[in-house]
């Protein structure tokens, strides 16, 4: 029950696979960009929290 593929069939299959690979590449590129944006947002938030904590609890002032 094996099917014999013509050259046109194989070219269509390869063409569809190439389209799928290109679509996956585009999605991965978008995900990388989103990852960078999240990383930058997390870093900024971490810095803001650190600055906020420093304002609440200044270093060097000890009670005796």
């Amino acid at each position: 029950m094996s099917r014999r593929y013509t050259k046109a069939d194989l070219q269509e299959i390869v063409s569809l696979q190439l389209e799928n690979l290109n679509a996956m590449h585009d999605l991965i590129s978008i995900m990388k960009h989103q990852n960078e944006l999240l990383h930058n947002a997390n870093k900024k938030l971490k810095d803001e929290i650190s600055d906020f904590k420093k304002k609440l609890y200044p270093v060097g002032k000890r009670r005796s």
Side-chain angles (χ1 to χ4, degrees):
M1 228 172 140
S2 65
R3 179 173 178 200
R4 297 189 64 74
Y5 292 97
T6 64
K7 183 177 179 181
D9 291 336
L10 295 174
Q11 287 175 333
E12 185 178 355
I13 290 169
V14 169
S15 175
L16 290 172
Q17 288 177 331
L18 183 59
E19 284 181 33
N20 288 335
L21 283 173
N22 286 332
M24 285 191 285
H25 177 267
D26 293 343
L27 289 173
I28 289 172
S29 295
I30 290 168
M31 289 170 61
K32 282 183 180 179
H33 180 67
Q34 289 175 337
N35 212 16
E36 289 174 13
L37 292 174
L38 283 171
H39 177 74
N40 292 340
N42 283 338
K43 185 178 183 318
K44 184 176 179 183
L45 186 58
K46 180 182 173 186
D47 292 344
E48 287 178 4
I49 290 171
S50 177
D51 291 344
F52 181 75
K53 284 182 178 180
K54 286 178 185 175
K55 288 178 184 176
L56 283 181
Y57 309 107
V59 178
K61 294 184 179 178
R62 293 186 141 199
R63 295 182 188 172
S64 301

